[in-house]
Amino acid sequence: MASGGPPFDLRVTHEGLDALVRAIRREEDGKALRKELAKNMRDALRPGAAQAKSSIMAMPSAGTGMGAGLRSTIAKKIRPEVKLGGRWTGARVKAFKTPGLRGFANAPKRTNRRDGGWRTLTYGHEPWRTQVGKRQWFDEAFENDAAAYQAAVHEAMESMARRLASRAR
């Protein structure tokens, strides 16, 4: 470990984040520090969430029967999520389920599918039809910038680690 660094190993892994959270818990104002770290990590991921929202809003609706309601409801459910304890520790951008959307709770997942699409009931001609969304809209939103988001989360972690290290001296 380099001199002046944090008194624990820090990597952009679950283990590195766990070590940072353990160090924060040992501090007197640990709750406030955890809150600040989570906020900084969410802020680092906000551009990715905005990019994913933009990607779903760009999904064509002509001929698919998909109005702006589906796209905007999915976009509202995309947000950065940070958990610093429990079974899962980490930071990610997540598209949450849409339970209030006409019985289509898995809309984010179904519209992002590579194959097929989803089946919907049609009144009039055939009883069922298959609709296809913009394939991989969520995954493509992070394709080119994944390293930048990881670096931003790492910088938030590093900043907190430096702060803790300066207190230890």
Side-chain angles (χ1 to χ4, degrees):
M1 180 182 343
S3 63
F8 47 86
D9 185 29
L10 177 65
R11 295 182 306 272
V12 183
T13 63
H14 293 294
E15 294 81 21
L17 186 55
D18 285 340
L20 180 59
V21 170
R22 279 193 303 275
I24 288 174
R25 284 188 181 143
R26 288 192 292 264
E27 295 295 316
E28 188 174 308
D29 59 342
K31 190 172 183 178
L33 291 173
R34 274 181 48 173
K35 208 175 203 181
E36 184 180 339
L37 176 62
K39 179 191 175 300
N40 292 342
M41 291 171 75
R42 270 191 307 274
D43 289 345
L45 292 175
R46 281 196 206 293
Q51 203 168 353
K53 288 177 184 186
S54 173
S55 183
I56 187 61
M57 291 305 289
M59 182 183 340
S61 64
T64 63
M66 250 185 298
L70 175 67
R71 293 174 295 171
S72 64
T73 303
I74 293 171
K76 286 177 190 171
K77 293 292 191 168
I78 298 171
R79 55 186 173 265
E81 178 184 42
V82 174
K83 289 188 179 181
L84 300 175
R87 289 184 181 196
W88 180 81
T89 301
R92 64 184 173 191
V93 174
K94 187 173 178 183
F96 291 88
K97 287 190 173 190
T98 54
L101 185 63
R102 299 173 277 165
F104 195 21
N106 288 324
K109 179 179 168 182
R110 297 287 184 243
T111 55
N112 190 51
R113 282 177 48 175
R114 239 181 245 181
D115 56 341
W118 65 95
R119 291 180 52 178
T120 185
L121 192 57
T122 302
Y123 297 99
H125 305 296
E126 293 289 325
W128 290 94
R129 67 180 175 152
T130 301
Q131 286 184 260
V132 179
K134 181 181 177 188
R135 295 187 175 122
Q136 299 294 311
W137 62 265
F138 189 80
D139 301 332
E140 286 176 359
F142 304 101
E143 215 168 63
N144 298 330
D145 300 325
Y149 300 130
Q150 187 174 12
V153 168
H154 184 261
E155 180 53 39
M157 291 169 57
E158 277 283 342
S159 173
M160 184 58 69
R162 283 192 298 271
R163 207 164 134 189
L164 291 175
S166 69
R167 285 181 172 192
R169 291 182 196 148

